[in-house]
């Protein structure tokens, strides 16, 4: 066994084998995999191993396409062929029009990744799958690439290729300890000796947290018991002359594929069961949980009704094994929050289908610092520190129960709610607030007219449309109050703080005390990594000279990691998170100044406190820091208040606002208004697949600065010219917004992808942002949007249709 190597991958299931193989593909051959037992002795050995191309965003579709292409290549390798039923095809069933609309959207989205799904009616479903009945069926989504693979052969093939490229695999070698040294390298302790390495990767399946605890962390991953059975031979399958397509059913929560001349049917029962919550027997190796078909009777009946042939067939084997889930159902693939040189590829609930792609994107992250797709949807840092064992288990149960029921826009499911609230959350709930969830935070979405108001789940504009319109109108004409909780905020101090931030941001940073600026962080490849508001606060009785760094609520762990990773050891810079200590109340609208003046001492006139100013003050008797910034396009103030004083500040503002028509507004109104101003959202419009010029952020880049992260790469990109450009679009449809991922078409070809869409109530236009081919970015260019299966006109318009000169927010 080597005593030193570059990377140690811990765990020899599909996750570990794929990572090892792809590291060698990236050119790193001094890498090893350490497995406690034999390869594939965790979940992988008993997997149903279906390999679908279906995903709910382009990153997931792209990585699954990689799996499919790789598996096909492995299957066809004459030196080591493996069993892969490629391209049997698969149907996701639907019994509501809303599900069908979702499938049409996913079809439009996948088209942008060169993947052609098809939405078919019930008769066509039955024609392609002769065993199913069309009762209570409207249709389905057809995935032509669906299939299944032999999981053990797949892992052996990947390990074999990795070994051929120089990697080593140590079986029967449990990792027993992990020690990180001052220079961020690691020692991996095993029963057979120690291995020093630069980087460790946790790929330990359901034992993820045994290994995580060795490095002092905990991952939000929980295991569920999951069962399938195998039937005896079914004559109709034997005689069909072709393989049966796969089925996935959101109506009765089962999947089904052909196995020999019978069927394999797996279940996601409502009466489901977590597994291993109090520790896992060390001898649970190549093992299964006891069969419990009674538990799945609810969904079994649905499967029998859909496929009557099952009623005449015997069951010969039941498989019940642990399967891992995370808080949102997607895995955790990437850097481990708060650690250096440590990665994970865990929480895979569809690891056979996805594993090839996840290992590919992880290896790119490890070797190149970033993957070719934006990987935020699988980033381990997307959940905040609130994600403990209980919350994870509750969300895992909910995800499991809804396995094939995709989330609709604005859908927030009930498990694990109220994980993060502020003192005014219950107050606003009593005022009729409906909440959305952002990184665990309950944030007001809109104010509902009655407690029993529940808009339908749909991709169309829903019944809250008029409520949002009224909130926007009040902000436009009077003044609105909105709580933005969970906004990520770091206090950065120290004599090197200014120089450090100057290096981190690609544009100007506010050097003058009392000023605010917006800035962008790039990665080493010159691509957009982050966005932050910087407020330069002078020394006061509340603290020394400091910069407040504010960014999206979801970026809490991501941004901290990024800043810490670039801090030089000899720099005098301290970064302290205030995210859980302070909350923002946004006051927006032409009468905002009058309200602020009525409850806070000082000169708040345009001259006394111009746009982009920052000042400490009191709102009534609540200490506050006010920033003159706007995300709505109206005159607005961000009022940052310590949570202990939040209710007092809220009451003072409400009271002061009474005579000015102050009303609450929520996140939906904010989102609609930002679309009219050309303002972008992190990880919707601001992604690592594009540079700041492609994203239209030219005015925030200073290429003549001596140094900033990504400068060299960005300069080279500028010379090469843009691959895409972000544009604003007017969509010719009043019924439904463009949804992220939808494809823009011209002459039958995909020419762009939507990143955001919403109705602009003040401009009365259906607005969208999209990255399109650069030659189509000119104002007035017409394209068509693949809009839930219909082609509707989408025209490029000026980026800020409401107030291009920002006159209202500067007023
Ligand atoms: C019944 C069932 C059906 C499924 N069907 C499908 C399907 O149809 N399609 C699909 O895509 N997915 C399916 N899945 C999910 C899929 O099987 C898993 O996502 C996948 O196998 C997880 O692989 P993994 O490598 O992450 O974990 P594992 O296969 O569990 O591998 C983890 C490895 O880490 C090793 N390890 C743990 N601790 C240590 C240590 N301390 N030192 C060294 N090594 C260690 C373990 O021994 C193990 O080999 C199914 C799962 C179940 C239970």
């Amino acid at each position: 066994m080597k005593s030193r190597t570059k990377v140690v991958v811990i765990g020899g299931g599909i996750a570990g084998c794929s990572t090892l193989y792809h590291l060698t593909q990236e050119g790193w051959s001094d890498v090893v995999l350490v497995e406690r037992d034999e390869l594939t002795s965790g979940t992988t050995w008993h997997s149903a191993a279906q390999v679908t191309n279906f995903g709910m965003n382009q990153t997931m579709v792209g990585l699954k396409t990689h799996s499919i292409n790789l598996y096909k290549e492995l299957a066809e390798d004459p030196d080591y062929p493996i069993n892969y039923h490629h391209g049997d095809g698969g149907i996701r069933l639907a019994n509501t029009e809303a599900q069908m609309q979702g499938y049409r959207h996913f079809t439009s989205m996948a088209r942008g990744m060169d993947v052609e799904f098809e939405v078919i009616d019930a008769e066509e479903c039955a024609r392609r799958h002769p065993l199913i009945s069309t009762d209570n069926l409207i249709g389905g989504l057809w995935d032509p690439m669906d299939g299944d693979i032999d999981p053990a052969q797949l892992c052996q093939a990947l390990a074999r290729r990795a070994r051929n490229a120089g990697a080593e695999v140590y079986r029967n070698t449990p990792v027993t300890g992990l020690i990180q040294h001052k220079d961020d390298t690691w020692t991996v302790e095993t029963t057979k000796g120690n291995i020093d390495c630069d980087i460790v990767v946790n790929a330990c399946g359901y034992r993820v947290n045994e290994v995580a605890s060795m490095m002092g962390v905990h991952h939000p991953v929980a295991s569920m018991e999951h069962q399938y059975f195998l039937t005896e031979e079914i004559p109709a399958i034997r005689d069909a002359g072709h393989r049966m397509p796969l089925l996935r059913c959101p109506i009765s929560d089962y999947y089904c594929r052909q196995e020999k001349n019978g069927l394999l049917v797996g279940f996601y029962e409502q009466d489901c069961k977590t597994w291993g919550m109090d520790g896992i027997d060390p001898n649970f190796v190549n093992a299964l949980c006891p069969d419990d078909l009674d538990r799945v009777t609810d969904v079994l009946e649905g499967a029998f009704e859909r496929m009557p042939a099952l009623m005449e067939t015997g069951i010969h084997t039941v498989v019940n094994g642990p399967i891992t889930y995370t808080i949102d159902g997607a895995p955790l693939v990437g850097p481990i929050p708060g650690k250096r040189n440590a990665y994970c590829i865990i929480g895979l609930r569809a690891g056979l289908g996805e594993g090839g792609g996840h290992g590919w994107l992880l290896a790119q992250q490890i070797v190149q610092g970033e993957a070719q797709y934006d990987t935020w949807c699988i980033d381990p840092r997307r959940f905040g520190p609130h994600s403990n064992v209980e919350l994870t288990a509750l969300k895992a149960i909910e995800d499991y129960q809804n396995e094939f029921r995709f989330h609709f826009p604005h859908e927030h499911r009930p498990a694990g709610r109220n994980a993060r609230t502020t003192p005014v959350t219950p107050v606003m709930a009593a005022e009729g607030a409906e909440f959305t969830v952002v990184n665990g935070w309950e944030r007001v979405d809109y104010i509902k007219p009655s407690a029993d108001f529940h808009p339908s789940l749909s991709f169309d504009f829903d019944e809250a449309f008029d409520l949002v319109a009224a909130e926007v109108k009040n902000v436009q004409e009077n003044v609105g109050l909105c709580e933005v909780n969970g906004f990520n905020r770091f206090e950065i101090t120290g004599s090197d703080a200014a120089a450090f931030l100057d290096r981190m941001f690609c544009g100007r940073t506010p050097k003058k005390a009392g000023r605010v600026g917006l800035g962008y962080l790039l990665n080493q490849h010159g691509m957009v990594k982050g966005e932050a508001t910087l407020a330069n606060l002078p020394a006061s009785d509340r603290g020394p000279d400091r910069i407040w760094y504010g960014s999206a609520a979801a970026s809490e762990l991501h941004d901290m990691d990024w800043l810490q990773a670039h801090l030089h050891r000899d720099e005098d810079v301290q970064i302290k998170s205030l995210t859980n200590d302070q909350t923002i109340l946004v006051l927006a609208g032409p009468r905002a100044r009058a309200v602020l003046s009525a409850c806070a001492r000082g000169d708040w006139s345009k001259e006394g406190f111009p746009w982009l100013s920052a000042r400490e003050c009191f709102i009534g008797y609540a200490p506050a820091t006010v920033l003159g910034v706007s995300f709505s396009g109206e005159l607005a103030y961000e009022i940052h208040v310590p949570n202990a004083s939040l209710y007092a500040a809220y009451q003072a503002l409400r009271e002061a606002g009474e005579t000015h028509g102050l009303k609450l507004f929520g996140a939906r109104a904010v989102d609609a208004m930002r679309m009219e101003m050309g303002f972008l959202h992190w990880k919707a419009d601001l992604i690592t697949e594009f540079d700041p010029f492609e994203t239209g952020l030219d005015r925030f880049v200073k290429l003549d600065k001596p140094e900033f992260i990504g400068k060299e790469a960005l300069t080279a990109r500028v010379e090469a010219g843009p691959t895409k450009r972000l544009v604003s679009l007017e969509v010719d449809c009043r019924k439904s917004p463009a949804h992220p991922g939808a494809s823009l078409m011209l002459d039958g070809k995909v020419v762009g992808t939507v990143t955001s869409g919403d109705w602009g109530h003040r401009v009365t236009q259906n607005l969208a942002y999209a990255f399109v081919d650069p030659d189509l970015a000119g104002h007035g260019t017409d394209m068509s949007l693949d809009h839930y299966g219909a082609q509707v006109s989408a025209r490029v318009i000026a980026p800020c249709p409401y107030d291009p000169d920002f006159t209202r927010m500067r007023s």
Side-chain angles (χ1 to χ4, degrees):
M1 199 164 87
K2 282 185 178 182
S3 59
R4 185 159 217 308
T5 186
K6 210 166 171 56
V7 184
V8 174
V9 178
I10 310 168
I14 179 61
C17 292
S18 173
T19 304
L20 189 76
Y21 165 72
H22 284 99
L23 283 170
T24 63
Q25 290 291 294
E26 288 289 321
W28 284 14
S29 54
D30 182 12
V31 291
V32 308
L33 185 151
V34 182
E35 163 56 49
R36 81 197 281 274
D37 303 298
E38 291 293 340
L39 294 185
T40 74
S41 51
T43 291
T44 299
W45 74 274
H46 58 70
S47 179
Q50 299 156 104
V51 180
T52 171
N53 213 165
F54 181 81
M56 272 166 294
N57 58 53
Q58 291 197 330
T59 296
M60 292 305 282
V61 171
L63 70 86
K64 290 182 190 204
T65 302
H66 177 82
S67 289
I68 289 170
N69 292 338
L70 170 65
Y71 299 172
K72 193 158 176 284
E73 187 201 320
L74 293 173
E76 289 165 1
D77 183 345
D79 290 341
Y80 193 87
I82 62 173
N83 290 325
Y84 177 30
H85 298 119
H86 167 256
D88 286 351
I91 312 172
R92 261 157 221 272
L93 304 175
N95 68 342
T96 69
E97 276 304 335
Q99 284 166 335
M100 292 291 276
Q101 190 187 19
Y103 290 161
R104 288 192 188 96
H105 166 66
F106 297 128
T107 302
S108 168
M109 176 271 293
R111 189 160 289 143
M113 299 301 283
D114 289 330
V115 170
E116 283 298 328
F117 296 141
E118 207 183 328
V119 180
I120 54 178
D121 63 20
E123 282 63 41
E124 187 58 20
C125 291
R127 200 187 64 72
R128 295 186 192 193
H129 197 308
L131 294 187
I132 65 169
S133 97
T134 55
D135 291 350
N136 186 27
L137 186 67
I138 295 185
L141 176 130
W142 173 256
D143 166 9
M145 290 300 145
D146 226 331
D148 71 273
I149 195 158
D150 183 311
Q153 287 183 1
L154 169 62
C155 291
Q156 293 296 349
L158 290 168
R160 177 180 170 272
R161 283 202 176 188
R163 278 195 202 99
N164 289 346
E168 297 190 4
V169 175
Y170 307 130
R171 296 172 296 127
N172 302 306
T173 310
V175 170
T176 51
L178 291 166
I179 300 165
Q180 187 157 33
H181 305 288
K182 281 198 175 126
D183 62 356
D184 295 333
T185 62
W186 293 89
T187 295
V188 178
E189 298 175 332
T190 80
T191 50
K192 294 190 178 163
N194 292 354
I195 310 173
D196 294 329
C197 63
D198 296 332
I199 293 168
V200 290
V201 178
N202 183 343
C204 289
Y206 50 75
R207 294 193 189 273
V208 45
N209 279 314
E210 292 178 7
V211 170
S213 67
M214 296 176 198
M215 59 167 81
V217 299
H218 177 268
H219 295 293
V221 175
S223 297
M224 305 292 300
E225 283 189 23
H226 174 47
Q227 298 184 84
Y228 63 76
F229 64 59
L230 297 161
T231 72
E232 307 286 357
E233 179 170 280
I234 297 176
I237 295 182
R238 185 194 56 215
D239 302 336
H242 62 85
R243 284 184 57 82
M244 289 295 134
L246 292 85
L247 283 184
R248 292 180 185 80
C249 179
I251 311 161
S252 297
D253 306 299
Y254 62 85
Y255 56 81
C256 171
R257 70 164 173 84
Q258 182 170 341
E259 174 67 22
K260 301 205 169 75
N261 281 332
L263 289 175
L264 178 159
V265 191
F267 302 97
Y268 294 98
E269 68 283 6
Q270 292 302 301
D271 182 21
C272 55
K273 211 170 156 191
T274 54
W275 181 85
M277 291 288 288
D278 298 317
I280 301 167
D281 178 350
N283 298 315
F284 191 90
V285 177
N286 263 317
L288 289 174
C289 313
D291 304 352
D292 187 2
L293 280 188
D294 286 349
R295 217 172 60 225
V296 303
T297 344
D298 55 337
V299 282
L300 201 68
E301 278 171 18
F304 277 38
E305 278 164 23
R306 182 67 62 212
M307 284 172 293
L310 282 176
M311 285 189 256
E312 287 138 34
T313 314
I315 294 169
H316 71 70
T317 306
V318 178
V319 168
N320 184 14
I323 183 167
T324 52
Y325 276 76
T326 65
I327 286 187
D328 63 3
L332 305 173
V333 182
I336 295 177
K339 290 281 161 195
R340 302 260 180 99
N341 291 352
Y343 295 80
C344 58
I345 173 164
I346 51 176
L348 275 70
R349 69 176 219 298
L352 267 300
E354 298 174 3
H358 287 308
W360 176 56
L361 296 181
L362 181 61
Q364 289 180 359
Q365 291 185 61
I366 294 172
V367 175
Q368 302 175 30
E370 202 82 66
Q372 69 188 73
Y373 303 136
D374 190 289
T375 48
W376 182 243
C377 61
I378 51 172
D379 194 303
R381 298 164 300 191
R382 68 191 186 277
F383 307 117
H386 63 292
S387 314
N388 77 339
V389 178
E390 272 67 32
L391 184 80
T392 307
L394 288 171
K395 293 306 281 183
I397 291 167
E398 187 181 61
D399 265 331
Y400 184 94
Q401 290 168 329
N402 288 283
E403 174 70 30
F404 297 129
R405 280 186 281 274
F406 54 79
H407 275 86
F408 281 90
H410 303 301
E411 181 181 7
H412 294 285
R413 292 182 176 157
R417 296 299 296 264
N418 290 330
R420 300 173 103 180
T421 60
T422 72
V424 299
T425 309
V427 179
M428 292 193 294
E431 296 191 53
E434 177 67 39
F435 293 91
T436 178
V437 186
V438 184
N439 195 10
W441 292 95
E442 297 287 332
R443 197 177 272 183
V444 175
D445 209 15
Y446 56 87
I447 305 298
K448 53 189 175 184
S450 61
D452 59 356
F453 178 79
H454 299 297
S456 15
L457 292 177
S458 167
F459 281 75
D460 292 336
F461 293 118
D462 65 17
E463 294 84 348
F465 184 88
D466 290 340
L467 302 173
V468 175
E471 288 179 11
V472 170
K473 190 165 188 292
N474 194 55
V475 170
Q476 183 183 21
E477 294 176 355
N478 299 310
V479 57
L481 183 66
C482 164
E483 186 198 36
V484 185
N485 51 9
F487 191 70
N488 181 45
R489 187 185 303 88
F490 302 142
E491 184 168 274
I492 304 178
T493 51
S495 56
D496 297 320
F500 168 63
L501 289 169
D502 208 42
R503 192 172 75 238
M504 296 302 295
F505 283 82
C506 64
R508 277 199 203 100
T509 51
K511 302 279 180 327
K512 251 174 89 184
R515 295 301 291 165
V516 182
L518 183 64
Y520 291 86
L521 303 131
L522 310 185
N523 64 18
Q524 302 85 338
H525 306 286
M527 311 302 242
V528 176
K529 186 80 176 165
E531 178 196 56
T533 306
L534 297 177
N536 187 326
L537 301 174
S540 72
D541 54 0
R542 296 187 197 165
D545 287 334
R546 68 222 111 109
I547 304 280
W548 271 15
Y549 170 113
S551 56
S555 69
E556 186 177 5
L557 301 182
H558 172 277
D559 284 16
M560 185 58 103
D561 268 4
W562 185 250
L563 295 180
Q564 293 282 5
H566 290 89
L567 209 51
H568 298 163
R569 284 178 197 270
D570 57 354
E571 268 179 321
D572 174 25
V573 176
Q574 295 80 45
I575 307 172
K576 183 175 146 197
S577 174
L578 300 180
T579 302
N580 292 312
D581 304 337
Q582 300 250 346
T583 294
I584 300 175
L585 295 170
V586 168
L587 198 57
R591 299 198 198 173
R593 176 171 292 123
V595 175
L596 187 60
S597 303
C599 61
R601 288 176 188 279
D603 176 6
W604 297 102
S605 66
K606 184 177 173 183
E607 298 70 31
F609 189 76
W611 185 53
L612 298 182
S613 297
R615 178 191 289 170
E616 290 178 333
C617 65
F618 288 88
I619 303 291
Y621 41 79
T625 306
V626 177
L627 311 189
V629 293
S630 173
F631 203 49
S632 59
E634 305 295 344
L635 171 71
Y637 303 99
E638 260 186 17
I639 305 171
H640 298 238
V641 186
N643 284 340
S645 312
L646 188 66
Y647 184 43
Y650 178 81
Q651 280 180 311
L653 287 162
R654 299 275 338 223
E655 207 179 309
E658 254 170 40
T659 51
H660 297 283
L662 183 142
K663 288 187 189 154
L664 295 178
F665 67 106
R668 284 218 209 173
V670 174
D671 213 33
M673 289 188 279
R674 66 113 189 168
M675 294 291 305
E676 296 167 299
M677 292 301 296
F679 296 157
L680 308 178
H681 256 326
W682 186 67
K683 291 304 174 196
D685 321 301
L686 300 166
I687 57 175
T688 53
E689 290 172 35
F690 300 103
D691 69 39
F693 295 115
E694 292 169 324
T695 314
L697 302 171
D698 307 32
R699 67 183 191 283
F700 297 99
V701 186
K702 294 277 157 269
L703 268 181
D704 53 0
K705 262 173 73 166
E707 188 199 3
F708 62 81
I709 291 166
K711 179 177 170 178
E712 206 179 314
L714 182 62
T715 310
R717 287 186 65 84
V718 171
E719 271 164 36
T723 57
K724 294 273 180 203
R725 281 215 186 271
L726 186 89
V727 295
S728 292
L729 296 164
E730 180 184 3
V731 177
D732 186 17
C733 172
R734 292 192 77 88
K735 190 167 165 267
S736 34
H739 202 66
S743 289
L744 289 151
M745 316 287 296
L746 195 66
D747 301 329
K749 287 205 197 91
V750 178
V751 290
T753 302
V754 169
T755 57
S756 290
D758 209 342
W759 186 263
H761 293 276
R762 294 172 298 189
V763 297
T764 59
Q765 286 174 320
N766 195 357
L767 300 171
Y769 299 141
F771 281 100
V772 300
D773 290 351
D775 54 334
L776 300 174
H779 297 175
T781 307
D782 268 318
M783 285 162 260
S784 67
L785 174 69
D786 183 343
H787 201 46
Y788 312 103
Q791 298 297 314
V792 308
S793 161
R795 188 170 48 89
V796 179
I797 57 170
C800 178
Y802 179 55
D803 181 11
D805 298 323
F806 295 179
T807 43
R808 294 178 73 92
M809 53 196 229
R810 288 179 208 253
S811 63

